[in-house]
Amino acid sequence: MDPTPGTPRWNLDRPFLTGRFHQEIKAPAQAAGSRLFSMESFSRGSDNVIGSYPVSVQELLVIDDLLSALVGIEGRYISIKRVRGKAGHVIFHIDPSMDLALQELTERIFPLCQNYVLINHFVESKSHFRSGLVNHAFAAALRALLLDYQAMVAQLEHQFLLGRLSVQGLWFFCQPMMGSLHALSIVVEKASSNNFSGATTLNLLQSQAKAMAGDNAVRSLLEKMTQRASSAYLAILERWVYEGVIDDPYGEFFIAENKSLQKESLTQDYDTKYWVQRYSLKDGIPSFLVSVAGIILTTGKYLNVMRECGHNVQVPLSENSKLTSIESNHHYLECIKSAYDFASGELLNLIKHKYDLIGKLRSMKRYFLLDQGDYLVHFMDISRDELAKRPEEISVEKLQSLLDLALRSTAAASDPCHEELTCCVERVSLLKRLSTLKDLDSTEPSEGNRPADSDPQSELLSITGLETFCLSYKVQWPLSLIIPRKALTKYQLIFRLLFHCKHVLEPNWHLMHDRLQTVKSVDEVIQFHDFFLQKCLKECLLLLPQVFKKIEKLKSVCLQYAASIQLLVPSMYMPEVASTNDGAGSFGLGRSKPKFEKEFNDELQSLVPILSSSSQAEPYLTHLAQCILGLGSEQ
């Protein structure tokens, strides 16, 4: 349903009130109703043609008619015909019996009359609600100009009644308005035929003003019209950059709001587009705002976040900061940038101090990146039996209680955020999980994401809680902007890898920590935080599935070898077992060792060409490839 209010019926039924009387009149009712007649079939001329009068009398008669024609009214010898299919377009005709010299002078004035009718029609039609605030303001400016024009016609009529006006004099006095109304008629014709509104109307006015650079008077008029028309648009802009509110009843503003996206999706949906699509740029940006459109969008978004936090804040206003016009000195651009700086600084302070962003990130580093692993060692000791089970057999509630116990009985208890930590059990291995996340900017082709010989069913049977255990974290608004579900998933991927083999992640963390001390906006915080996570993923080889697959295979061989060694250990300390086995244990191990060694070396050598090809894009892999080559040559 269109929310735009309708035009009152009386506005359409009373043509003399709206200026449409020159286009059509109502004939007397002849039957059951009345029928509208076009001016093309209607004549108001007298029985005597104008050519039957002396030239001096003809001049007086045509001046009288011209004064009416200048305001869109037919005379006795000047008629108006509507152009079919073009609203507001009319053609003026004069009695052909008129003196030829008078005809020529009269016809020179007709374009001014036609432009007046066209502009007046635009003013009437664009004053309706559905036309939008910019067209309303433009129509109001045109109406004020037409009042000046009508005042000029009234003065000319006064001169005529005093006997001081000739056709030549009328032509002379109309000259100042000829160029102005002609330029405006071009604008309104384009605006009407293309149904322009909002930014498109403003851009049309600006481009037409630039095109009239050679005529200072007309250019100044068009610039004034642009200022008047833009006042309504700037009022919408001012509320957005100073309050974060979109007050746009007719959809003219270049920022769209998607109310279906809620902030709760940040913690629930991995692919949420809340920050990007809750407020976004539309087509049709005014040309004078194109360079700062992104800043305008971000400013309002920052103010909205603070309002969602219950922190009502408004950019300080002064007389100099009001967005009332688009001056040539670009003062409005300075106001917009000042509003951005204020909103950015306020939100950054709110998130860093009231919501303790750095403290939350330190807490997540402590748990997910194993910065302080004492709690994890204790947790693994008391949860060993539960983690040895298959994923579907594990009690998450029991693991959670054991995790809480480990947190309370270690140094993690001093962390005020430790109660935000929870645990979960994934259903698939880390490698399989990586293959389902297509947006991690993996540098390997998609077909390398999943091993060709992997069997999902057998994988599900072989993995245990040690491979699928993962931490989670409760993130509240507005920190969920910095740590949405996607960022938390990246933390979890890194934790699952470190849960088996811990890397040194300290340099990347300190780099991010140092950068966060000097940031100037929330967008920079998001950028540095995402860069940190992406770099950690990359250096942990999680974005190189082929390499990661090989390393997982090497790890598997090592674990199998270690398991075989453990079978031998009892026989080394229990002579009776050794005599019973009659050396079978050591013989079996001796037979299996070459097999493990060959399998390990084969996998190691097959990793070298993969590292060599990948090291061109990722230089940090070069050292790893050289180490493997050195290890292979030593063997």
Side-chain angles (χ1 to χ4, degrees), residues 269-273 432-444 446 449 484-490 493 530 533-534 537-538 542-543 545:
D269 184 6
Y270 178 84
D271 292 314
T272 183
K273 304 296 182 183
K432 182 69 177 295
R433 178 67 172 137
L434 283 171
S435 68
T436 63
L437 302 176
K438 304 298 184 183
D439 62 333
L440 292 179
D441 299 330
S442 171
T443 56
E444 295 290 343
S446 58
N449 286 0
R485 182 67 206 172
K486 180 177 289 188
L488 183 60
T489 300
K490 293 178 180 179
L493 292 174
D530 282 343
L533 291 174
Q534 200 71 9
L537 286 171
K538 186 181 293 184
L542 292 176
L543 301 185

Side-chain angles (χ1 to χ4, degrees), residues 451-514:
D453 57 347
S454 64
D455 182 357
Q457 188 62 32
S458 62
E459 182 185 69
L460 189 60
L461 293 174
S462 62
I463 61 176
T464 65
L466 290 171
E467 287 80 23
T468 58
F469 173 76
C470 193
L471 295 179
S472 190
Y473 203 86
K474 299 174 185 176
V475 183
Q476 305 298 327
W477 173 266
L479 294 182
S480 54
L481 280 173
I482 315 297
I483 315 169
R485 182 67 206 172
K486 180 177 289 188
L488 183 60
T489 300
K490 293 178 180 179
Y491 272 109
Q492 290 175 327
L493 292 174
I494 296 171
F495 171 79
R496 290 184 66 182
L497 176 66
L498 297 184
F499 196 61
H500 271 197
C501 46
K502 180 179 179 181
H503 283 243
V504 181
L505 295 170
E506 289 294 322
N508 290 329
W509 162 261
H510 285 297
L511 178 62
M512 180 189 72
H513 185 273
D514 293 341

Side-chain angles (χ1 to χ4, degrees), residues 12 28 30 35 67 78 91 100 203 242 300 381 436 451 481 595:
L12 304 175
Q30 297 180 357
R35 184 164 64 91
L67 290 172
I78 296 177
I91 298 176
L100 292 178
N203 290 338
Y242 289 160
D381 287 340
T436 63
L481 280 173
K595 173 189 171 185

Side-chain angles (χ1 to χ4, degrees), residues 159-229:
Q159 293 297 315
F160 174 63
L161 294 176
L162 293 177
R164 300 175 182 172
L165 189 66
S166 63
V167 175
Q168 186 68 43
L170 181 62
W171 160 252
F172 173 78
F173 288 121
C174 287
Q175 287 304 301
M177 280 289 186
M178 292 286 285
S180 300
L181 263 63
H182 175 67
L184 288 172
S185 69
I186 294 175
V187 174
V188 301
E189 183 176 10
K190 289 181 179 179
S192 296
S193 59
N194 295 286
N195 198 26
F196 283 167
S197 65
T200 50
T201 298
L202 295 178
N203 290 338
L204 175 62
L205 280 166
Q206 278 204 313
S207 63
Q208 193 65 25
K210 291 178 181 178
M212 301 302 296
D215 190 331
N216 288 334
V218 174
R219 178 179 55 80
S220 177
L221 173 64
L222 289 172
E223 288 177 347
K224 182 180 178 181
M225 289 292 168
T226 306
Q227 294 283 2
R228 294 284 299 277

Side-chain angles (χ1 to χ4, degrees), residues 31-32 55 92 111 128 135 158 198 316-317 405 421 428 430 472 497-498 501 507 536 619 632:
V55 173
F92 286 78
H128 297 170
N135 280 336
H158 179 67
L317 290 177
L405 177 61
L421 192 67
V428 295
L430 178 57
S472 190
L497 176 66
L498 297 184
C501 46
C536 289

